[in-house]
Amino acid sequence: MITLEDVEDMSALSRAEIDALSAHEHISAYDATLLGEYMMHVHHGPQKVNEMICDDIRSALHADNIDQARELFAVLRAFLAENPEAARGAS
């Protein structure tokens, strides 16, 4: 039987990135893993993942949740380090 951890391990995204997508889209970690894997392989998909994480950072800041914003910023930095094509303006 394939577990959630197995699916996450096969994904192009880290668990933290999957958690960020899950929270942004209000979906399960399993569905977020599948969505993230799909998005990483479509045109402008990585940029969309970048935007989703940035949206969540803004939401955390507007809610004065500095700790969550810091955590998400760390996720964003790691994501961009692994996926430089996801940076805004990248072609």
Side-chain angles (χ1 to χ4, degrees):
M1 175 182 219
I2 296 178
T3 66
L4 173 59
E5 288 179 351
D6 294 331
V7 174
E8 289 175 336
D9 289 342
M10 291 184 272
S11 173
L13 299 177
S14 71
R15 285 189 170 84
E17 293 160 356
I18 291 167
D19 290 343
L21 283 180
S22 176
H24 184 271
E25 293 295 307
H26 308 286
I27 57 178
S28 70
Y30 181 83
D31 290 338
T33 302
L34 298 178
L35 175 63
E37 184 64 20
Y38 168 76
M39 291 179 71
M40 292 304 293
H41 294 40
V42 298
H43 187 63
H44 293 297
Q47 290 92 345
K48 183 62 179 164
V49 173
N50 175 9
E51 289 174 23
M52 294 167 119
I53 297 170
C54 288
D55 287 346
D56 287 344
I57 293 169
R58 274 190 290 281
S59 293
L61 290 171
H62 286 294
D64 291 326
N65 191 340
I66 302 303
D67 291 335
Q68 182 183 20
R70 280 188 186 122
E71 289 175 24
L72 288 167
F73 184 71
V75 170
L76 179 63
R77 286 185 58 137
F79 176 72
L80 291 174
E82 284 288 318
N83 304 283
E85 74 280 6
R88 292 181 184 197
S91 298

